Amino acid sequence: MALYSEKVMDHFQNPRNVGKMDDASGIGVVGNAKCGDIMKMYIKVENGIIVDAKFNTFGCGSAIATSSMATEMIKGKSVEEALTLSNKAVVEALDGLPVHKIHCSVLAEEAVRAAVKDYYDKNGIAYDKEQFCDHDCAHCHEHDHE
Ligand code: FES
């Protein structure tokens, strides 16, 4: 079996929604301290719905593929729904990732959450702070793949 699914290769080689968004409603930047990869996620929100999403990922192929898929999955969804997007759902949508690459998908989940938090902060929308952690997410998710 190939190490990477066709979908992973497709989203890595032809990433959707790459780029910068000048009129973003929320921007999330997250990084993985271990590998040094960085992901920046932009969302545009209208009436509580994510009408557009873009990303820039300075990282590995799996990080690019998962951020590409994550942007596709949150477009058209409400911000609350986007918050429930899990790295597992992104990995499933890509037909899987090798175990040692699961942490890359965690970066995509965290980038979406960070962008939503930024949107909430910028618009004075109240939220439960416990929904978002401020510390090193890579540390929390270290054992996600187990
Ligand atoms: Fe760092 Fe994939 S190796 S996100």
mmCIF file of all heavy atoms in Angstrom, residues 7 69 73 86-97:
data_model
loop_
_atom_site.group_PDB
_atom_site.id
_atom_site.type_symbol
_atom_site.label_atom_id
_atom_site.label_comp_id
_atom_site.label_asym_id
_atom_site.label_seq_id
_atom_site.Cartn_x
_atom_site.Cartn_y
_atom_site.Cartn_z
ATOM 1 N N LYS A 7 -5.837 10.992 -2.167
ATOM 2 C CA LYS A 7 -6.399 12.284 -1.748
ATOM 3 C C LYS A 7 -5.333 13.152 -1.076
ATOM 4 O O LYS A 7 -5.292 14.366 -1.295
ATOM 5 C CB LYS A 7 -7.570 12.078 -0.788
ATOM 6 C CG LYS A 7 -8.851 11.763 -1.516
ATOM 7 C CD LYS A 7 -10.029 11.854 -0.582
ATOM 8 C CE LYS A 7 -11.250 11.285 -1.257
ATOM 9 N NZ LYS A 7 -12.328 11.023 -0.326
ATOM 10 N N MET A 69 -7.572 20.440 3.031
ATOM 11 C CA MET A 69 -8.846 19.745 3.269
ATOM 12 C C MET A 69 -9.668 20.463 4.332
ATOM 13 O O MET A 69 -10.886 20.599 4.217
ATOM 14 C CB MET A 69 -8.570 18.289 3.684
ATOM 15 C CG MET A 69 -9.812 17.469 3.953
ATOM 16 S SD MET A 69 -10.979 17.427 2.542
ATOM 17 C CE MET A 69 -10.439 15.929 1.682
ATOM 18 N N MET A 73 -13.500 21.854 4.181
ATOM 19 C CA MET A 73 -14.535 21.316 5.071
ATOM 20 C C MET A 73 -15.255 22.397 5.866
ATOM 21 O O MET A 73 -16.401 22.201 6.274
ATOM 22 C CB MET A 73 -13.919 20.276 6.023
ATOM 23 C CG MET A 73 -13.530 19.006 5.296
ATOM 24 S SD MET A 73 -12.632 17.848 6.345
ATOM 25 C CE MET A 73 -13.965 17.004 7.199
ATOM 26 N N SER A 86 -12.664 18.083 13.819
ATOM 27 C CA SER A 86 -11.555 17.421 14.504
ATOM 28 C C SER A 86 -10.493 17.004 13.498
ATOM 29 O O SER A 86 -10.772 16.839 12.314
ATOM 30 C CB SER A 86 -12.057 16.175 15.237
ATOM 31 O OG SER A 86 -12.450 15.209 14.280
ATOM 32 N N ASN A 87 -9.284 16.845 13.999
ATOM 33 C CA ASN A 87 -8.219 16.383 13.101
ATOM 34 C C ASN A 87 -8.561 14.992 12.564
ATOM 35 O O ASN A 87 -8.223 14.655 11.431
ATOM 36 C CB ASN A 87 -6.860 16.399 13.811
ATOM 37 C CG ASN A 87 -6.706 15.306 14.842
ATOM 38 O OD1 ASN A 87 -7.507 15.226 15.763
ATOM 39 N ND2 ASN A 87 -5.723 14.453 14.681
ATOM 40 N N LYS A 88 -9.290 14.222 13.358
ATOM 41 C CA LYS A 88 -9.663 12.875 12.902
ATOM 42 C C LYS A 88 -10.574 12.954 11.686
ATOM 43 O O LYS A 88 -10.434 12.173 10.740
ATOM 44 C CB LYS A 88 -10.367 12.120 14.030
ATOM 45 C CG LYS A 88 -9.426 11.670 15.104
ATOM 46 C CD LYS A 88 -10.108 10.688 16.061
ATOM 47 C CE LYS A 88 -9.148 10.215 17.129
ATOM 48 N NZ LYS A 88 -8.861 11.246 18.138
ATOM 49 N N ALA A 89 -11.519 13.910 11.712
ATOM 50 C CA ALA A 89 -12.430 14.060 10.573
ATOM 51 C C ALA A 89 -11.657 14.467 9.320
ATOM 52 O O ALA A 89 -11.943 13.994 8.220
ATOM 53 C CB ALA A 89 -13.505 15.099 10.899
ATOM 54 N N VAL A 90 -10.663 15.324 9.500
ATOM 55 C CA VAL A 90 -9.856 15.763 8.355
ATOM 56 C C VAL A 90 -9.056 14.574 7.804
ATOM 57 O O VAL A 90 -8.995 14.352 6.592
ATOM 58 C CB VAL A 90 -8.898 16.920 8.756
ATOM 59 C CG1 VAL A 90 -8.011 17.310 7.589
ATOM 60 C CG2 VAL A 90 -9.694 18.130 9.230
ATOM 61 N N VAL A 91 -8.489 13.796 8.711
ATOM 62 C CA VAL A 91 -7.710 12.630 8.285
ATOM 63 C C VAL A 91 -8.604 11.626 7.551
ATOM 64 O O VAL A 91 -8.234 11.090 6.506
ATOM 65 C CB VAL A 91 -7.018 11.966 9.507
ATOM 66 C CG1 VAL A 91 -6.404 10.626 9.118
ATOM 67 C CG2 VAL A 91 -5.952 12.891 10.070
ATOM 68 N N GLU A 92 -9.816 11.430 8.077
ATOM 69 C CA GLU A 92 -10.741 10.500 7.414
ATOM 70 C C GLU A 92 -11.105 11.000 6.022
ATOM 71 O O GLU A 92 -11.176 10.231 5.072
ATOM 72 C CB GLU A 92 -12.010 10.337 8.250
ATOM 73 C CG GLU A 92 -11.862 9.230 9.277
ATOM 74 C CD GLU A 92 -12.968 9.261 10.327
ATOM 75 O OE1 GLU A 92 -14.085 9.711 10.009
ATOM 76 O OE2 GLU A 92 -12.691 8.830 11.455
ATOM 77 N N ALA A 93 -11.325 12.314 5.915
ATOM 78 C CA ALA A 93 -11.686 12.879 4.609
ATOM 79 C C ALA A 93 -10.551 12.712 3.605
ATOM 80 O O ALA A 93 -10.768 12.690 2.388
ATOM 81 C CB ALA A 93 -12.046 14.351 4.767
ATOM 82 N N LEU A 94 -9.337 12.579 4.114
ATOM 83 C CA LEU A 94 -8.173 12.387 3.230
ATOM 84 C C LEU A 94 -7.850 10.900 3.035
ATOM 85 O O LEU A 94 -6.805 10.568 2.479
ATOM 86 C CB LEU A 94 -6.947 13.087 3.831
ATOM 87 C CG LEU A 94 -6.906 14.619 3.733
ATOM 88 C CD1 LEU A 94 -5.802 15.173 4.622
ATOM 89 C CD2 LEU A 94 -6.709 15.087 2.296
ATOM 90 N N ASP A 95 -8.723 10.044 3.518
ATOM 91 C CA ASP A 95 -8.504 8.586 3.446
ATOM 92 C C ASP A 95 -7.270 8.153 4.230
ATOM 93 O O ASP A 95 -6.556 7.224 3.821
ATOM 94 C CB ASP A 95 -8.394 8.115 1.986
ATOM 95 C CG ASP A 95 -9.722 8.237 1.255
ATOM 96 O OD1 ASP A 95 -10.768 8.280 1.931
ATOM 97 O OD2 ASP A 95 -9.705 8.312 0.013
ATOM 98 N N GLY A 96 -7.002 8.851 5.319
ATOM 99 C CA GLY A 96 -5.948 8.408 6.232
ATOM 100 C C GLY A 96 -4.612 9.091 6.042
ATOM 101 O O GLY A 96 -4.338 9.679 4.998
ATOM 102 N N LEU A 97 -3.816 9.003 7.115
ATOM 103 C CA LEU A 97 -2.435 9.499 7.111
ATOM 104 C C LEU A 97 -1.601 8.473 7.862
ATOM 105 O O LEU A 97 -2.111 7.801 8.761
ATOM 106 C CB LEU A 97 -2.334 10.822 7.873
ATOM 107 C CG LEU A 97 -2.563 12.147 7.154
ATOM 108 C CD1 LEU A 97 -2.421 13.288 8.167
ATOM 109 C CD2 LEU A 97 -1.616 12.360 5.991
#
